[in-house]
């Protein structure tokens, strides 16, 4: 039968609850976001460089998480989703999702790192 991706993610922590899958995925995403800030944050100074690093970071976690760690933790071989023709569309959707997550993460990081306007400058612009 078919199993939703969030249930598969929940199975990594020995659950079959979609809520547990979402919570686990969100916590892992937050941790990976903090890792991005620690290791790549200083390099992502502009939106363009942030997007570039975000794409690479998303692909990195797609390979490391979705293609290697998750299948192994579920008792499958690494890259199992690419080896099974019926799973390739799911793997490609996961790749797109990881790239989008990486770009959003990087762009938000750049936005939050930009210096705030000083109170005086803000008054002059009004």
């Amino acid at each position: 039968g078919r199993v939703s991706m969030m249930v598969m993610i929940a199975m990594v922590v020995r659950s079959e609850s979609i809520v547990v899958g979402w919570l686990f995925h969100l916590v892992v995403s937050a941790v990976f976001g903090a890792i991005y800030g620690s290791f790549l944050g200083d390099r992502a100074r502009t939106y363009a460089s942030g997007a570039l690093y975000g794409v690479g970071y998303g692909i990195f976690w797609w390979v490391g998480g979705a293609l290697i760690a998750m299948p192994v933790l579920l008792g499958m071989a690494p890259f199992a989703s690419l080896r099974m023709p019926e799973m390739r569309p799911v793997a490609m959707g996961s790749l797109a999702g990881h790239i989008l997550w990486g770009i959003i993460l990087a762009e938000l990081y750049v936005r939050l790192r930009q210096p705030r306007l000083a109170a005086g400058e803000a008054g002059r612009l009004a």
Side-chain angles (χ1 to χ4, degrees), residues 5 21 29 35 37 41 57 61 74 78 85 97 102 105-106 112 117 121 123:
M5 184 57 68
S29 295
I35 292 170
Y57 196 68
W61 282 116
L74 294 175
L105 168 70
L112 292 172
L117 288 175
E121 292 176 355

Side-chain angles (χ1 to χ4, degrees), residues 5-92:
M5 184 57 68
M6 285 303 128
V7 171
M8 285 183 67
I9 291 169
M11 293 168 77
V12 169
V13 291
R14 309 295 181 244
S15 175
E16 292 187 11
S17 166
I18 196 165
V19 172
V20 170
W22 273 109
L23 288 173
F24 179 70
H25 197 260
L26 291 172
V27 168
V28 167
S29 295
V31 169
F32 290 169
I35 292 170
Y36 173 87
S38 296
F39 289 99
L40 295 174
D42 288 338
R43 294 186 175 117
R45 294 187 177 122
T46 66
Y47 288 115
S49 65
L52 185 61
Y53 281 109
V55 167
Y57 196 68
I59 292 170
F60 173 82
W61 282 116
W62 175 68
V63 172
L67 296 183
I68 297 174
M70 189 170 157
V72 168
L73 291 170
L74 294 175
M76 297 183 286
F79 302 99
S81 60
L82 293 178
R83 294 179 181 167
M84 298 183 290
E86 66 276 4
M87 288 297 293
R88 285 188 193 127
V90 175
M92 293 301 104

Side-chain angles (χ1 to χ4, degrees), residues 103-117:
I103 292 170
I104 292 170
L105 168 70
E107 298 303 297
L108 286 173
Y109 186 85
V110 170
R111 173 74 175 123
L112 292 172
R113 290 276 317 251
Q114 289 181 345
R116 304 278 186 239
L117 288 175

